[in-house]
Structure formats: structure tokens, C-alpha cells
Amino acid sequence: MKKKGFWFLFFAIALCLLTSPAMAEKQYLNMGSTSSTSGVYAWCVATANVINEAQNDIQVTVIESGAALDNLRKIKAGVFDFALCVDLPSAYQMVKGMDTFENEEWEDVRWLFMRNITADRLYVRKDSGVTTFKELKGKKFSPGIPGSASADYIFKFNDLLNADIKLVPAAIGDAVDAMKNGAIIGLQKTSPLDSLDASMIEVNLTLPITVIGYSEDDVAKIRERYPYMIFLETPKGKIKQLPDVGPIMEECAIVGAVASVNLPEEVGYQIVKAYVEGFDEVASAYPAIKGWDPVADFFENVPEGGEIYAHAGLIRYAQERGIEVPERFIPPEYKK
């Protein structure tokens, strides 16, 4: 009888261990990011680190990519389980199958968490004398990384406004080199609202640069054709390193992480939880996120009619924190 009792206890303990969270099957996920030469890549790596360090049985591999548009298409194709560096307008276009994603409608895109609100900033050599987007006419300018949303917007604006800019897509490193040697007059680089992008701060030390914007007429025409685009005024003194710049109108975007409906609720929940709990560590690697709430600020800043569904894991985490989630963000698969 004692032997039977021993073996019964042994198997009971073994069963508990095998079914415990610590022994659960590990989830290996591919995470889309951006070009490794981008200053934002540090955010991607830091985000993966805090997810991997959390006790959640999730192991994330960072995969370099062409940023937003590339990331969205690769999530749809199943190459990426989730991705960072996706702006809300791009995700919206894919959900609706419009503009950039015409005939590529895919309603399964889900928002995971917000990084910040950024400016798709237009940098030019200070000695160029250029002050507005239309004054780039006939000049060579890099719209950004091939396949990125921000670069695609520049192409759209160039066509819509008949600006006749000679656009030269390039990775940030190549674009910076081209600007330094005079091959191009400037480049577009996604940046914090109140600061130059880290890579451009370094450029400005040896090659004086400035920032230009869009005229009121340009903004009106763009908004008429692309109502989901956001433009904000950057007042004089807002950009710390260039206090004489402004006021100018800049195209801005809510940027963050997305997944699809295929990412299980529990996995999405654990990703959001790990990111929020590791926020200070991520901010140490990428200070531009300081002051932003990756959960609440998304629901508070998305204009009505410009939203996409939130991931079920994000909704669950938000509600646990007492953050109100408007009905318009709740997808049909979410079970309250």
C-alpha cells in the first residue's frame, strides 16, 4: 500500500509540473521591425528584450524589414506573428483595401500597443534655401526606406501636388551619405515631435540641416484626397536642436505594434503586459517614448472613423487597468 501511495503521489506531482505555466509550451514568434540602420531599431530590440525577459513562455526574434507596409504584408502572409513600426493610417488602408492597399483588403489587422505620435519629418541641407515641400521641385530627395509607409506618403503627395520632386528611396544610412556628398538635397525621416531623429542629430554636428513643412494649401489638398492623414503645427522652438524652425505644418502619425486576429488573445495579452511592465527599460534605449502611455493614449488619440480594431489581448489588459475601451475598438472575436 505504501508503494502504491508513493507512485500515486509521484505521478500527481509530475502531472502538476507538466501542466503548470512554467512547463507550458514555449511560443516562438517572429517580430517585424525596421531597417537596422534606423534609430528606431533600438526600440524594436529593446521591446523584444523585455518580452523575452518576462516569465511568459514567449521567445521573440527580431527580423529586420522595410517597416510599416512591408510589415503589414508579411503579417498577412504569415511571415511575421506581429510587427512594430506600423503607423495607424497604413493599417487603416489595409483593413479597408484602399490607396496603398487597393485590392489587398484584409480586415484581420489588430492593434497591439502604441509607441508614440511622430512626425514624418522633412530634412534638408540648410544651405539649400528650401523652405516648403513644393520648393523641392526638380531636386533629388529621399522619401525614406523603400516599402515604408512614410516613403509611400511622399510619393502620393508628390503626385497629388504635382511637385515634380525627383524621389530617390534609400535606407537611412545611404540617404545620409548621399545628402552629405550633395547627391540629394535632403531626406524624410520619422522623428519625435519635439526633437530631431537620433541619426539626424549626428548629421547636424557636421552638416547643418533644417526642417521644412507643407503650406496650408498643400495640407488642404492632401486632406481632401486622404482624409485619414494627420497634420500638426510645429511651433517655433518646438524642435529642441533647431529652435529657429517653425511654425511649420508636418504630417504626423500614431505609430505602434500590430498583429492579426490569428495571434491568440493570451499571447497578445502577455506581449502588451511585458511591454508596459518593461516600459522604463525600453525608454532607456529609446527615449522618444517617454511620457506616452502605450495603452491609454491609443484609445484617447485616434479620431472617430480613423480607427481599426484593437487586439483582444490589448482590450483585456486595458480593462484590467481600468482603462475605458470605446466600443468602436472592440473586435467581434473578443469575448467579454
Side-chain angles (χ1 to χ4, degrees), residues 231-273:
F231 285 83
L232 298 176
E233 183 181 280
T234 301
K236 186 173 182 178
K238 175 78 170 181
I239 304 174
K240 288 178 290 192
Q241 300 84 2
L242 300 175
D244 292 332
V245 169
I248 56 173
M249 293 297 292
E250 297 190 276
E251 182 265 307
C252 300
I254 294 174
V255 184
V258 298
S260 78
V261 68
N262 299 319
L263 187 75
E265 177 181 326
E266 176 64 21
V267 177
Y269 170 83
Q270 293 296 341
I271 289 172
V272 175
K273 184 173 185 287

Side-chain angles (χ1 to χ4, degrees), residues 41-103:
Y41 192 71
W43 173 65
C44 301
V45 173
T47 296
N49 287 343
V50 296
I51 296 171
N52 291 339
E53 290 166 2
Q55 301 299 309
N56 55 21
D57 294 302
I58 296 173
Q59 184 67 40
V60 171
T61 299
V62 182
I63 300 180
E64 188 176 359
S65 74
L69 305 185
D70 187 31
N71 286 342
L72 284 164
R73 289 188 171 104
K74 285 178 178 173
I75 288 176
K76 182 179 180 181
V79 176
F80 295 157
D81 297 288
F82 71 108
L84 276 54
C85 303
V86 175
D87 62 295
L88 185 60
S90 292
Y92 181 90
Q93 289 173 67
M94 174 170 264
V95 169
K96 300 296 184 182
M98 61 189 293
D99 295 333
T100 301
F101 291 100
E102 189 174 357
N103 300 320

Side-chain angles (χ1 to χ4, degrees), residues 298-315:
F298 172 70
F299 297 119
E300 290 178 8
N301 285 284
V302 178
E304 193 161 353
E307 71 277 348
I308 65 170
Y309 285 136
H311 191 274
L314 170 60
I315 297 171

Side-chain angles (χ1 to χ4, degrees), residues 11 37 58 156 177:
F11 283 119
T37 61
I58 296 173
K156 282 182 167 65
D177 288 342

Side-chain angles (χ1 to χ4, degrees), residues 3 48 141 168 190 257 278:
K3 262 189 174 182
F141 181 87
V168 185
T190 301

